[in-house]
Amino acid sequence: MPKHDHPDTTLPDATLPGTAPAPGTDPARGSVPTPDRPGYRAVFRVREFRVVFVAHLFSLLGVVVSELALTVLVYDLTRSPLLSSLTFALGFLPYLVGGTLLAGLADRLPPRRILVVCDLFCAGCVALMVVPATPVAVLLVLRCAIAVVSPVFNGTRTATLADILGEGDLFVLGRSLLRIVSQSALLTGFAVGGVLLTVVPPRGALAVTATTFLVSALLLRFGTVRRPARAAGKAAASGLSGTWAVLRNRRVRALMVMFWVPPLFAVVPEALAAPYADEIGVSTAALGLLMCALPVGTITGELFAGAFLSAATRSRIVLPLAVTGVLPYLLYAPEPGVALAAVALFLAGATGAYTLGLDAWFVAAVPEEQRGRAMTLMTAGMMTVQGIGMAGAGIAAEFAPVHAVVAGTGVLGTLCLLAAAAELRAAGATEERDGADRQVPHG
C-alpha cells in the first residue's frame, strides 16, 4: 500500500482534541470521503488484517500461557512466592527499556521483518526455558528478554495496521479488535493455561507456547505484504534522541499522556482485588467476579462504540469519558459488597471506549516516518505505568484500608486526568494557531 503524504499545513479543525470530525470525512486525511460507520465487518473484509488478527491470537496465547507456566515452574523449582510473583513483574518493567532504546527500529527496518524476527526471538527464548538444565536466574533473564522486544513488536504491528487499513476509521476499528482480544485473554487465557497445566507439566506448556510464537511468525511472513522501512532514506535519530524527537511535538506528547494516565489508576482495584476480598470476607468465586468486571466492562464499551457510534461521535466523547474513567471508584468509599464493587469496575471499564477516538487523533498527529517509534513508545508507556500503578497500590494498601485506597484513586486519578485533558486541549489550540500563522502570507 502506498504511503500517505502529510501536508505541511495543519490538520483540519475536526482533528483537534475536543472537536469532532465532519461526518463522512477521514480525520487523518481531511476531506477524503469515508463511510461514516463502516463497522467491524468491514475490517474483517481486508484479507491482510485477517492474517494479522489470527497471528495476534496465537502470539497472545503464547504470552499468556507462558507467563502462567513460567510462574508455576519457578515456584516448583524454588518454592519461593517472591520469585514466582517476580516473573509477572518482569513482564512490565523491561517495557520501558525496550520501548525507549529500541523504538527506532520500528521505523528504520521493514515492518514485516521486525514482526517475524520478534516472534522467532520469543519462540527461541521460550524454547530455552523448556530445557531442564536452564537455571532459575536464566529463566528470569529470558522472561525479561521477551518483555524487552514486546513493545517493539506491538508498536510495529500497530503502525502496520495504518498501512493495511488506512489512517481512518478502519484503522481505529482494527485497533479496537486487537484490544478486545487482549482484554478477552484476561478472561480466558489463564483459564486455558490452567487447564493445560493439568494435562502437561509447566515445561510442556512452555513448549506449546513456543509453537504458538512460531505459528504467528509464519502467518506474518507469508500472509502480509513486504513494505519498506518508513524512515528509509531519511535521517532518523536513534536511542533517547529519537525518543525526544517524537516527544518534542507538544500535541503528540499530550496524546501519549492521555493514553498513559488512565491505566496508571485503572489497575489499582485489580491489583488489590485479593486483599479487598479478604477485607470484606468473601469467597474465591467473588474474587473471580471482581477480577472479571473491569475487562468485561472494557470489552462491552469498545464493542458498543465500534459497532454503534460514528467516528464523529467517538471523537466527541473522548475527553468526557477519559476524565470520568476512574470516578466510579468512589463507590468503594463506603466499603461496598461484591455486587456494588463489580458495578463500579464495570462502569470504569466501559469508559475505555474513549480510546477509539484517541487512536484516530494519534495516528493523524504522528508523521508517518515516526509512526512506528511513536506507537512503540505509547505501548511501552502504557505497560510501564500499569506496573507502577500496581506497585503504588500495594504500597498505599500497607498504610490504609483497601477500600479507601481505591476510592482515593478515584479522586486523584480524576484530578490528573483533568490536567491531562487541559494540556491536550491547549496543545490542539497551539497547533491550530501555529497552522494559521503559517498560512498567512508575510511581507
Side-chain angles (χ1 to χ4, degrees), residues 108-377:
R108 294 202 302 270
L109 297 175
R112 186 176 70 178
R113 183 189 305 170
I114 295 174
L115 296 175
V116 173
V117 169
C118 284
D119 263 337
L120 292 176
F121 178 81
C122 291
C125 289
V126 175
L128 290 176
M129 294 177 186
V130 177
V131 178
T134 305
V136 172
V138 176
L139 290 175
L140 297 179
V141 169
L142 292 170
R143 177 72 182 92
C144 284
I146 292 175
V148 166
V149 303
S150 290
V152 180
F153 178 88
N154 292 331
T156 302
R157 183 182 58 203
T158 301
T160 302
L161 282 184
D163 299 329
I164 296 172
L165 300 173
E167 301 173 8
D169 212 36
L170 286 183
F171 166 79
V172 172
L173 294 177
R175 276 273 289 158
S176 175
L177 283 170
L178 295 189
R179 272 197 305 267
I180 288 170
V181 170
S182 298
Q183 288 293 326
S184 300
L186 297 176
L187 303 175
T188 61
F190 288 122
V192 171
V195 172
L196 183 61
L197 287 171
T198 64
V199 181
V200 297
R203 293 191 192 275
L206 287 170
V208 172
T209 65
T211 303
T212 64
F213 284 121
L214 288 175
V215 172
S216 175
L218 289 172
L219 286 170
L220 293 171
R221 172 60 182 81
F222 297 105
T224 60
V225 175
R226 185 187 184 281
R227 296 178 173 85
R230 291 178 186 82
K234 302 175 183 178
S238 59
L240 294 176
S241 60
T243 298
W244 176 240
V246 173
L247 298 179
R248 191 180 296 120
N249 183 316
R250 184 182 180 185
R251 184 173 177 227
V252 172
R253 187 170 65 246
L255 287 167
M256 282 198 182
V257 170
M258 187 55 73
F259 272 111
W260 293 341
V261 175
L264 172 65
F265 297 100
V267 298
V268 170
E270 286 186 302
L272 299 178
Y276 186 68
D278 181 63
E279 182 178 290
I280 61 176
V282 297
S283 65
T284 304
L287 172 60
L289 178 62
L290 292 176
M291 294 295 291
C292 291
L294 189 68
V296 168
T298 303
I299 293 169
T300 302
E302 287 237 8
L303 284 175
F304 179 82
F308 298 107
L309 301 183
S310 67
T313 301
R314 292 198 297 266
S315 183
R316 282 194 293 267
I317 64 176
V318 170
L319 295 182
L321 285 184
V323 299
T324 58
V326 293
L327 272 181
Y329 292 172
L330 294 177
L331 294 175
Y332 270 75
E335 195 177 24
V338 172
L340 186 57
V343 169
L345 293 173
F346 178 87
L347 291 175
T351 64
Y354 78 89
T355 53
L356 280 81
L358 196 61
D359 278 336
W361 293 351
F362 193 69
V363 75
V366 178
E368 186 173 2
E369 65 272 12
Q370 293 180 331
R371 187 177 294 155
R373 182 190 291 272
M375 296 295 185
T376 300
L377 290 171

